Amino acid sequence: MTLQELMPLIIVGIIIIALAVLFTFIPVMLWISALAAGVKISIFSLVGMRLRRVTPARVINPLIKAHKAGLDINTNQLESHYLAGGNVDRVVNALIAAHRANIELTFERCAAIDLAGRDVLEAVQMSVNPKVIETPFIAGVAMDGIEVKAKARITVRANIDRLVGGAGEDTIIARVGEGIVSTIGSSDNHNKVLENPDSISKNVLGKGLDAGTAFEILSIDIADIDIGKNIGAILQTDQAEADKNIAQAKAEERRAMAIAQEQEMRARVQEMQAKVVEAEAEVPQALAEALRSGKMGVMDYMNYQNIDADTDMRKTLGTTGETDDEDNGK
């Protein structure tokens, strides 16, 4: 085939490629869909979205949905929210749900809630259909020392105005738990709590626990209540055991001190006995010195020996008498 014969085929190929590129870069079908839905948007606006790295379908489809629902939203609002990293489709769905439920919600607030990381659609649905939060068993001790366990169901509704910056479900559960513990602890008798469990919910509900949270508490219902341990008896038993251990420790301390004092006295007795032995050892030397120096005569020495022997005899007789008395007593 000659070049002249191939030229029409080349031109047709170029046209097809150009149309493919054109329809890929310019969402013509999306533009047609918008016009068919009554949304006025120019083809150049779609091209501008491509240049701004915005996926046109992520903006135009929610815009069509909002227009059909009767919402006054423009392309710039949706495009700016998309560029900020928000979920445009979820925001539009939330606005439609709020509009159907007659809940006042502006696009700016809805976009702020979405950018804050909260599910704005779920919040709107929770405003229409309240959510029930069930707490675990919360234990409190009445004044009579009996532990009472209660489980509560908290019915909450999302507060759109406090959704940004408001505390979540964990704070609600913690505050309700604190209120239950406080109410049980202020009861004189655990039987009163068992007879009137609604007193717990009334006291807790009247404390305004939803302040500063993203919810509005509608009701607090006691789902289950049970008796736990006798904490008062356990504490008294532990205290008695502790007092006993303290008394035993003090008695052991006194016994150790008595033993130490006894050992000290024995040591002193041994010391005094040593001094006596030492003094007795000096007696013969003193006698010998007295005899040499003439201060003591032979007769004086003999009298001393007689007195010493008489003393030993009396000691012996006294010891023998005590032994006989003990034997007779046995």
Side-chain angles (χ1 to χ4, degrees):
M1 297 178 66
T2 61
L3 183 60
Q4 293 179 352
E5 293 175 349
L6 293 175
M7 188 60 66
L9 297 176
I10 295 173
I11 293 174
V12 171
I14 293 173
I15 293 174
I16 292 174
I17 294 173
L19 290 176
V21 173
L22 179 65
F23 281 102
T24 302
F25 189 75
I26 302 175
V28 179
M29 297 303 298
L30 187 63
W31 175 65
I32 295 173
S33 298
L35 292 180
V39 178
K40 297 180 180 180
I41 187 170
S42 65
I43 192 70
F44 297 104
S45 297
L46 299 178
V47 175
M49 290 182 187
R50 290 287 191 187
L51 295 175
R52 289 188 292 272
R53 295 184 179 181
V54 176
T55 305
R58 296 288 183 88
V59 175
I60 300 303
N61 288 332
L63 182 63
I64 295 172
K65 192 188 305 183
H67 179 74
K68 288 296 182 181
L71 300 178
D72 186 15
I73 301 176
N74 56 50
T75 309
N76 291 331
Q77 289 176 318
L78 298 181
E79 189 175 351
S80 62
H81 186 64
Y82 177 84
L83 291 173
N87 192 323
V88 178
D89 192 62
R90 184 166 55 192
V91 168
V92 171
N93 290 336
L95 289 173
I96 294 173
H99 179 70
R100 292 285 187 269
N102 293 325
I103 298 175
E104 185 178 354
L105 181 62
T106 62
F107 176 82
E108 287 75 14
R109 179 172 293 277
C110 190
I113 295 172
D114 183 66
L115 292 176
R118 293 187 179 270
D119 193 337
V120 63
L121 180 58
E122 182 182 357
V124 174
Q125 292 173 347
M126 193 183 298
S127 297
V128 178
N129 185 20
K131 181 180 179 180
V132 177
I133 303 173
E134 185 169 329
T135 66
F137 271 107
I138 300 171
V141 181
M143 290 185 179
D144 58 355
I146 304 299
E147 182 185 34
V148 179
K149 298 179 180 179
K151 180 187 290 186
R153 287 192 177 96
I154 313 165
T155 304
V156 296
R157 180 173 58 194
N159 192 326
I160 302 297
D161 296 332
R162 296 200 302 256
L163 203 60
V164 177
E169 296 182 8
D170 294 338
T171 302
I172 293 291
I173 294 175
R175 290 182 179 180
V176 171
E178 180 182 357
I180 291 174
V181 173
S182 176
T183 303
I184 295 175
S186 60
S187 300
D188 297 333
N189 194 295
H190 71 282
N191 291 322
K192 294 182 179 180
V193 181
L194 298 178
E195 292 172 0
N196 300 308
D198 57 335
S199 61
I200 299 177
S201 57
K202 290 179 181 178
N203 292 335
V204 175
L205 191 60
K207 293 184 177 181
L209 303 179
D210 54 1
T213 65
F215 303 98
E216 179 184 353
I217 298 178
L218 301 179
S219 66
I220 300 175
D221 305 306
I222 302 301
D224 193 7
I225 193 166
D226 195 6
I227 296 295
K229 301 177 181 178
N230 191 338
I231 302 298
I234 294 175
L235 292 177
Q236 290 177 0
T237 303
D238 294 341
Q239 184 64 42
E241 185 68 22
D243 293 341
K244 184 189 75 171
N245 293 334
I246 293 173
Q248 289 178 347
K250 290 183 178 180
E252 184 66 23
E253 181 182 359
R254 289 194 297 269
R255 188 180 72 86
M257 292 178 63
I259 292 175
Q261 188 175 6
E262 181 184 1
Q263 296 295 331
E264 183 179 356
M265 294 304 294
R266 288 181 179 179
R268 292 181 64 184
V269 169
Q270 294 293 331
E271 182 181 358
M272 297 306 294
Q273 288 178 350
K275 290 182 178 180
V276 170
V277 172
E278 183 180 359
E280 290 177 350
E282 293 178 355
V283 171
Q285 296 178 2
L287 290 174
E289 183 63 29
L291 289 173
R292 281 196 299 268
S293 60
K295 295 180 180 180
M296 183 177 180
V298 176
M299 295 303 295
D300 295 330
Y301 179 73
M302 295 300 294
N303 290 333
Y304 168 76
Q305 290 292 331
N306 291 331
I307 293 172
D308 190 23
D310 186 53
T311 301
D312 291 339
M313 180 183 65
R314 290 182 179 182
K315 287 183 179 179
T316 304
L317 292 174
T319 305
T320 305
E322 291 179 358
T323 305
D324 293 339
D325 293 339
E326 291 178 358
D327 293 337
N328 295 328
K330 292 181 179 179

